[in-house]
Amino acid sequence: MEFTAGGRLEVRITPADVGKRVSVRRLNEGPGTGGKFTDTVGVLTSWNDGVVLITRRDGERVPIMESALVAGKVVPSAPARRRGPAASYAELARVSARAWQPVESEPLGEWELRAAAGFTRRANSVLPLGDPGRPLDEALAYVRQWYEERELPAYIQTATGAEGTQELLCADLEERGWEREVSAELHVGALAPLGDPDLPDATVERVRLARSFDEAWLRRYKRFGVPGPHVLKVLAGGPSVWFASVPGASFDAGPAAIGRCVVDGRWAGFMAVEVDPAHRRQGLASAVMAALSRQALTEGASAAWLQVEDDNEGARALYGRLGFAAHHTYHHYRYPSAR
């Protein structure tokens, strides 16, 4: 990481660069540090009272004393992608929103307020993709009132780590007392390799595809308890929705594995890929994704996306082997008085 000009370290950023992606080097101070340097890359979200605040790709906010800076520069707004299809954050945000549609929504400028009786944060949060059409504090007050009328906590879904993401909005929300509860990553990858896994054809052929889900599919999809009408509507919504299941040993046992895919233009989004614990490590998750991928390819899709929560190490390992890579991190901020 080159910071020098004529052989000298230079701080080439100023408060006027707030909102830009920067790379800085600071001197570690204090006992035991040995005067070592630490480099930080992220969006410069504020520079006040001698403190430089940088939001990293994963949403972590790093405060740095201005006096500790030894070098800094503005860098390209989006890091170079090493693999996976190229896509903007706005494109992926809209595609993923269409794949998980709320029961009720309302525009607020370029924001979308979404509700589905509390079924998942994604379907019960604001998607802010531009200007709300009014001052931020006024917009946030409207958001809180809108969700309060529906007896729901007020959530705003934001993103960090890619060109066009919302590091500044994250900082504004935290300054106003909104609390980040959950973070996850959206991963992207090429679709064609998913349809040709290193599995016997017989394993993939066990997967059954349907345009709708049945009671057995829902029994396997049990993470949200007994589904109500709002759950059924969210699951069924989307441009071109497919449900996959692998039959289990008996009807009472339910499917050995399930999955859901939404095809939307060049994109195929994968959700609800779950495997019965008794059938894990048999390649069934890969088989489900292979069968869904082959269907999506016939509809003209070429790229894939999915979402992985931070603490799901098993899913991260699986999707990494299948060629997925992180595109951006998204977060859900909750207004604390709504508890």
mmCIF file of all heavy atoms in Angstrom, residues 279-310:
data_model
loop_
_atom_site.group_PDB
_atom_site.id
_atom_site.type_symbol
_atom_site.label_atom_id
_atom_site.label_comp_id
_atom_site.label_asym_id
_atom_site.label_seq_id
_atom_site.Cartn_x
_atom_site.Cartn_y
_atom_site.Cartn_z
ATOM 1 N N HIS A 279 -29.531 -36.205 7.403
ATOM 2 C CA HIS A 279 -29.100 -36.421 6.018
ATOM 3 C C HIS A 279 -27.971 -35.484 5.597
ATOM 4 O O HIS A 279 -27.720 -35.334 4.397
ATOM 5 C CB HIS A 279 -30.297 -36.245 5.076
ATOM 6 C CG HIS A 279 -31.356 -37.279 5.240
ATOM 7 N ND1 HIS A 279 -31.321 -38.506 4.606
ATOM 8 C CD2 HIS A 279 -32.489 -37.281 5.991
ATOM 9 C CE1 HIS A 279 -32.386 -39.207 4.938
ATOM 10 N NE2 HIS A 279 -33.106 -38.503 5.782
ATOM 11 N N ARG A 280 -27.321 -34.878 6.546
ATOM 12 C CA ARG A 280 -26.245 -33.961 6.196
ATOM 13 C C ARG A 280 -24.994 -34.719 5.747
ATOM 14 O O ARG A 280 -24.841 -35.892 5.996
ATOM 15 C CB ARG A 280 -25.930 -33.036 7.377
ATOM 16 C CG ARG A 280 -27.042 -32.003 7.600
ATOM 17 C CD ARG A 280 -26.821 -31.136 8.800
ATOM 18 N NE ARG A 280 -27.933 -30.197 8.958
ATOM 19 C CZ ARG A 280 -28.148 -29.465 10.044
ATOM 20 N NH1 ARG A 280 -27.316 -29.563 11.070
ATOM 21 N NH2 ARG A 280 -29.183 -28.649 10.105
ATOM 22 N N ARG A 281 -24.129 -33.982 5.053
ATOM 23 C CA ARG A 281 -22.875 -34.509 4.514
ATOM 24 C C ARG A 281 -23.116 -35.589 3.455
ATOM 25 O O ARG A 281 -22.318 -36.511 3.295
ATOM 26 C CB ARG A 281 -21.973 -35.035 5.632
ATOM 27 C CG ARG A 281 -21.627 -33.974 6.672
ATOM 28 C CD ARG A 281 -20.574 -34.441 7.651
ATOM 29 N NE ARG A 281 -20.301 -33.426 8.653
ATOM 30 C CZ ARG A 281 -19.508 -32.372 8.483
ATOM 31 N NH1 ARG A 281 -18.917 -32.193 7.307
ATOM 32 N NH2 ARG A 281 -19.312 -31.498 9.447
ATOM 33 N N GLN A 282 -24.233 -35.479 2.749
ATOM 34 C CA GLN A 282 -24.523 -36.383 1.644
ATOM 35 C C GLN A 282 -24.606 -35.636 0.316
ATOM 36 O O GLN A 282 -25.004 -36.204 -0.696
ATOM 37 C CB GLN A 282 -25.844 -37.126 1.899
ATOM 38 C CG GLN A 282 -25.835 -37.998 3.141
ATOM 39 C CD GLN A 282 -27.193 -38.650 3.394
ATOM 40 O OE1 GLN A 282 -28.014 -38.778 2.491
ATOM 41 N NE2 GLN A 282 -27.429 -39.048 4.643
ATOM 42 N N GLY A 283 -24.269 -34.362 0.323
ATOM 43 C CA GLY A 283 -24.311 -33.574 -0.893
ATOM 44 C C GLY A 283 -25.685 -33.071 -1.270
ATOM 45 O O GLY A 283 -25.880 -32.599 -2.398
ATOM 46 N N LEU A 284 -26.651 -33.137 -0.344
ATOM 47 C CA LEU A 284 -28.013 -32.773 -0.707
ATOM 48 C C LEU A 284 -28.181 -31.270 -0.916
ATOM 49 O O LEU A 284 -28.950 -30.850 -1.789
ATOM 50 C CB LEU A 284 -28.995 -33.270 0.350
ATOM 51 C CG LEU A 284 -29.101 -34.794 0.489
ATOM 52 C CD1 LEU A 284 -30.203 -35.157 1.473
ATOM 53 C CD2 LEU A 284 -29.348 -35.443 -0.865
ATOM 54 N N ALA A 285 -27.490 -30.440 -0.145
ATOM 55 C CA ALA A 285 -27.584 -28.991 -0.358
ATOM 56 C C ALA A 285 -27.048 -28.624 -1.743
ATOM 57 O O ALA A 285 -27.655 -27.826 -2.463
ATOM 58 C CB ALA A 285 -26.822 -28.242 0.726
ATOM 59 N N SER A 286 -25.931 -29.222 -2.116
ATOM 60 C CA SER A 286 -25.376 -28.974 -3.453
ATOM 61 C C SER A 286 -26.319 -29.490 -4.536
ATOM 62 O O SER A 286 -26.474 -28.863 -5.594
ATOM 63 C CB SER A 286 -24.003 -29.644 -3.589
ATOM 64 O OG SER A 286 -23.081 -29.088 -2.675
ATOM 65 N N ALA A 287 -26.966 -30.638 -4.292
ATOM 66 C CA ALA A 287 -27.899 -31.192 -5.274
ATOM 67 C C ALA A 287 -29.109 -30.280 -5.458
ATOM 68 O O ALA A 287 -29.582 -30.070 -6.583
ATOM 69 C CB ALA A 287 -28.336 -32.584 -4.841
ATOM 70 N N VAL A 288 -29.632 -29.746 -4.355
ATOM 71 C CA VAL A 288 -30.762 -28.828 -4.433
ATOM 72 C C VAL A 288 -30.391 -27.600 -5.259
ATOM 73 O O VAL A 288 -31.138 -27.169 -6.152
ATOM 74 C CB VAL A 288 -31.220 -28.425 -3.016
ATOM 75 C CG1 VAL A 288 -32.100 -27.179 -3.056
ATOM 76 C CG2 VAL A 288 -31.972 -29.568 -2.355
ATOM 77 N N MET A 289 -29.226 -27.039 -4.983
ATOM 78 C CA MET A 289 -28.805 -25.851 -5.721
ATOM 79 C C MET A 289 -28.530 -26.183 -7.188
ATOM 80 O O MET A 289 -28.784 -25.361 -8.082
ATOM 81 C CB MET A 289 -27.595 -25.218 -5.055
ATOM 82 C CG MET A 289 -27.899 -24.677 -3.670
ATOM 83 S SD MET A 289 -26.560 -23.716 -2.945
ATOM 84 C CE MET A 289 -26.530 -22.292 -4.021
ATOM 85 N N ALA A 290 -28.029 -27.388 -7.465
ATOM 86 C CA ALA A 290 -27.774 -27.784 -8.847
ATOM 87 C C ALA A 290 -29.074 -27.881 -9.633
ATOM 88 O O ALA A 290 -29.181 -27.384 -10.770
ATOM 89 C CB ALA A 290 -27.037 -29.115 -8.887
ATOM 90 N N ALA A 291 -30.077 -28.508 -9.048
ATOM 91 C CA ALA A 291 -31.356 -28.661 -9.741
ATOM 92 C C ALA A 291 -32.008 -27.301 -9.982
ATOM 93 O O ALA A 291 -32.538 -27.031 -11.069
ATOM 94 C CB ALA A 291 -32.279 -29.569 -8.935
ATOM 95 N N LEU A 292 -31.981 -26.436 -8.976
ATOM 96 C CA LEU A 292 -32.556 -25.105 -9.133
ATOM 97 C C LEU A 292 -31.764 -24.291 -10.156
ATOM 98 O O LEU A 292 -32.347 -23.529 -10.950
ATOM 99 C CB LEU A 292 -32.584 -24.384 -7.786
ATOM 100 C CG LEU A 292 -33.577 -24.931 -6.749
ATOM 101 C CD1 LEU A 292 -33.310 -24.328 -5.376
ATOM 102 C CD2 LEU A 292 -35.019 -24.653 -7.173
ATOM 103 N N SER A 293 -30.436 -24.446 -10.161
ATOM 104 C CA SER A 293 -29.599 -23.716 -11.118
ATOM 105 C C SER A 293 -29.912 -24.123 -12.549
ATOM 106 O O SER A 293 -29.988 -23.275 -13.449
ATOM 107 C CB SER A 293 -28.119 -23.966 -10.821
ATOM 108 O OG SER A 293 -27.760 -23.471 -9.557
ATOM 109 N N ARG A 294 -30.084 -25.421 -12.780
ATOM 110 C CA ARG A 294 -30.392 -25.885 -14.131
ATOM 111 C C ARG A 294 -31.708 -25.297 -14.621
ATOM 112 O O ARG A 294 -31.836 -24.922 -15.790
ATOM 113 C CB ARG A 294 -30.426 -27.415 -14.147
ATOM 114 C CG ARG A 294 -29.048 -28.039 -13.900
ATOM 115 C CD ARG A 294 -29.109 -29.556 -13.805
ATOM 116 N NE ARG A 294 -27.797 -30.097 -13.456
ATOM 117 C CZ ARG A 294 -27.532 -31.398 -13.289
ATOM 118 N NH1 ARG A 294 -28.513 -32.293 -13.457
ATOM 119 N NH2 ARG A 294 -26.316 -31.810 -12.971
ATOM 120 N N GLN A 295 -32.675 -25.187 -13.727
ATOM 121 C CA GLN A 295 -33.941 -24.571 -14.109
ATOM 122 C C GLN A 295 -33.733 -23.092 -14.429
ATOM 123 O O GLN A 295 -34.256 -22.570 -15.420
ATOM 124 C CB GLN A 295 -34.964 -24.736 -12.983
ATOM 125 C CG GLN A 295 -36.294 -24.056 -13.253
ATOM 126 C CD GLN A 295 -36.978 -24.587 -14.500
ATOM 127 O OE1 GLN A 295 -37.023 -25.790 -14.725
ATOM 128 N NE2 GLN A 295 -37.500 -23.682 -15.330
ATOM 129 N N ALA A 296 -32.969 -22.394 -13.586
ATOM 130 C CA ALA A 296 -32.730 -20.972 -13.809
ATOM 131 C C ALA A 296 -31.983 -20.727 -15.119
ATOM 132 O O ALA A 296 -32.250 -19.751 -15.825
ATOM 133 C CB ALA A 296 -31.949 -20.390 -12.632
ATOM 134 N N LEU A 297 -31.054 -21.606 -15.456
ATOM 135 C CA LEU A 297 -30.314 -21.468 -16.717
ATOM 136 C C LEU A 297 -31.257 -21.564 -17.910
ATOM 137 O O LEU A 297 -31.076 -20.853 -18.912
ATOM 138 C CB LEU A 297 -29.222 -22.534 -16.805
ATOM 139 C CG LEU A 297 -28.001 -22.318 -15.899
ATOM 140 C CD1 LEU A 297 -27.173 -23.598 -15.813
ATOM 141 C CD2 LEU A 297 -27.144 -21.159 -16.408
ATOM 142 N N THR A 298 -32.259 -22.430 -17.832
ATOM 143 C CA THR A 298 -33.199 -22.554 -18.944
ATOM 144 C C THR A 298 -34.045 -21.288 -19.111
ATOM 145 O O THR A 298 -34.592 -21.048 -20.196
ATOM 146 C CB THR A 298 -34.153 -23.754 -18.752
ATOM 147 O OG1 THR A 298 -35.038 -23.504 -17.653
ATOM 148 C CG2 THR A 298 -33.372 -25.038 -18.512
ATOM 149 N N GLU A 299 -34.135 -20.473 -18.049
ATOM 150 C CA GLU A 299 -34.899 -19.232 -18.118
ATOM 151 C C GLU A 299 -34.026 -18.039 -18.473
ATOM 152 O O GLU A 299 -34.486 -16.893 -18.437
ATOM 153 C CB GLU A 299 -35.628 -19.002 -16.795
ATOM 154 C CG GLU A 299 -36.650 -20.094 -16.468
ATOM 155 C CD GLU A 299 -37.428 -19.818 -15.200
ATOM 156 O OE1 GLU A 299 -37.649 -18.638 -14.862
ATOM 157 O OE2 GLU A 299 -37.830 -20.792 -14.531
ATOM 158 N N GLY A 300 -32.756 -18.281 -18.774
ATOM 159 C CA GLY A 300 -31.873 -17.220 -19.230
ATOM 160 C C GLY A 300 -31.001 -16.588 -18.176
ATOM 161 O O GLY A 300 -30.259 -15.641 -18.470
ATOM 162 N N ALA A 301 -31.042 -17.062 -16.947
ATOM 163 C CA ALA A 301 -30.190 -16.499 -15.900
ATOM 164 C C ALA A 301 -28.746 -16.944 -16.106
ATOM 165 O O ALA A 301 -28.480 -18.011 -16.663
ATOM 166 C CB ALA A 301 -30.684 -16.932 -14.523
ATOM 167 N N SER A 302 -27.821 -16.129 -15.641
ATOM 168 C CA SER A 302 -26.398 -16.457 -15.773
ATOM 169 C C SER A 302 -25.611 -16.208 -14.498
ATOM 170 O O SER A 302 -24.458 -16.619 -14.392
ATOM 171 C CB SER A 302 -25.772 -15.643 -16.911
ATOM 172 O OG SER A 302 -25.891 -14.243 -16.639
ATOM 173 N N ALA A 303 -26.191 -15.509 -13.533
ATOM 174 C CA ALA A 303 -25.500 -15.149 -12.297
ATOM 175 C C ALA A 303 -26.350 -15.555 -11.102
ATOM 176 O O ALA A 303 -27.576 -15.680 -11.203
ATOM 177 C CB ALA A 303 -25.213 -13.652 -12.263
ATOM 178 N N ALA A 304 -25.699 -15.761 -9.972
ATOM 179 C CA ALA A 304 -26.392 -16.228 -8.777
ATOM 180 C C ALA A 304 -26.061 -15.344 -7.584
ATOM 181 O O ALA A 304 -24.985 -14.761 -7.508
ATOM 182 C CB ALA A 304 -26.005 -17.674 -8.469
ATOM 183 N N TRP A 305 -26.994 -15.269 -6.658
ATOM 184 C CA TRP A 305 -26.756 -14.555 -5.412
ATOM 185 C C TRP A 305 -27.423 -15.313 -4.261
ATOM 186 O O TRP A 305 -28.364 -16.072 -4.462
ATOM 187 C CB TRP A 305 -27.278 -13.115 -5.461
ATOM 188 C CG TRP A 305 -28.772 -12.989 -5.566
ATOM 189 C CD1 TRP A 305 -29.521 -12.891 -6.695
ATOM 190 C CD2 TRP A 305 -29.717 -12.953 -4.475
ATOM 191 N NE1 TRP A 305 -30.859 -12.807 -6.400
ATOM 192 C CE2 TRP A 305 -31.010 -12.831 -5.051
ATOM 193 C CE3 TRP A 305 -29.593 -13.009 -3.087
ATOM 194 C CZ2 TRP A 305 -32.172 -12.778 -4.267
ATOM 195 C CZ3 TRP A 305 -30.749 -12.952 -2.313
ATOM 196 C CH2 TRP A 305 -32.018 -12.841 -2.906
ATOM 197 N N LEU A 306 -26.934 -15.071 -3.088
ATOM 198 C CA LEU A 306 -27.530 -15.617 -1.873
ATOM 199 C C LEU A 306 -27.049 -14.798 -0.694
ATOM 200 O O LEU A 306 -26.114 -14.002 -0.809
ATOM 201 C CB LEU A 306 -27.186 -17.099 -1.701
ATOM 202 C CG LEU A 306 -25.733 -17.528 -1.845
ATOM 203 C CD1 LEU A 306 -24.942 -17.275 -0.570
ATOM 204 C CD2 LEU A 306 -25.651 -18.989 -2.221
ATOM 205 N N GLN A 307 -27.688 -14.987 0.443
ATOM 206 C CA GLN A 307 -27.355 -14.237 1.642
ATOM 207 C C GLN A 307 -26.920 -15.194 2.751
ATOM 208 O O GLN A 307 -27.519 -16.254 2.925
ATOM 209 C CB GLN A 307 -28.564 -13.404 2.082
ATOM 210 C CG GLN A 307 -28.912 -12.315 1.068
ATOM 211 C CD GLN A 307 -30.289 -11.706 1.278
ATOM 212 O OE1 GLN A 307 -31.243 -12.411 1.573
ATOM 213 N NE2 GLN A 307 -30.404 -10.403 1.106
ATOM 214 N N VAL A 308 -25.889 -14.801 3.479
ATOM 215 C CA VAL A 308 -25.319 -15.651 4.524
ATOM 216 C C VAL A 308 -25.126 -14.817 5.782
ATOM 217 O O VAL A 308 -24.472 -13.773 5.747
ATOM 218 C CB VAL A 308 -23.959 -16.247 4.105
ATOM 219 C CG1 VAL A 308 -23.517 -17.298 5.115
ATOM 220 C CG2 VAL A 308 -24.013 -16.821 2.703
ATOM 221 N N GLU A 309 -25.705 -15.271 6.893
ATOM 222 C CA GLU A 309 -25.511 -14.552 8.149
ATOM 223 C C GLU A 309 -24.101 -14.766 8.679
ATOM 224 O O GLU A 309 -23.453 -15.778 8.399
ATOM 225 C CB GLU A 309 -26.557 -14.997 9.173
ATOM 226 C CG GLU A 309 -27.972 -14.570 8.801
ATOM 227 C CD GLU A 309 -28.956 -14.770 9.937
ATOM 228 O OE1 GLU A 309 -28.553 -15.306 10.986
ATOM 229 O OE2 GLU A 309 -30.129 -14.388 9.757
ATOM 230 N N ASP A 310 -23.641 -13.801 9.458
ATOM 231 C CA ASP A 310 -22.248 -13.793 9.917
ATOM 232 C C ASP A 310 -21.854 -15.060 10.661
ATOM 233 O O ASP A 310 -20.717 -15.521 10.567
ATOM 234 C CB ASP A 310 -22.009 -12.570 10.826
ATOM 235 C CG ASP A 310 -21.882 -11.281 10.030
ATOM 236 O OD1 ASP A 310 -21.763 -11.347 8.790
ATOM 237 O OD2 ASP A 310 -21.908 -10.199 10.664
#
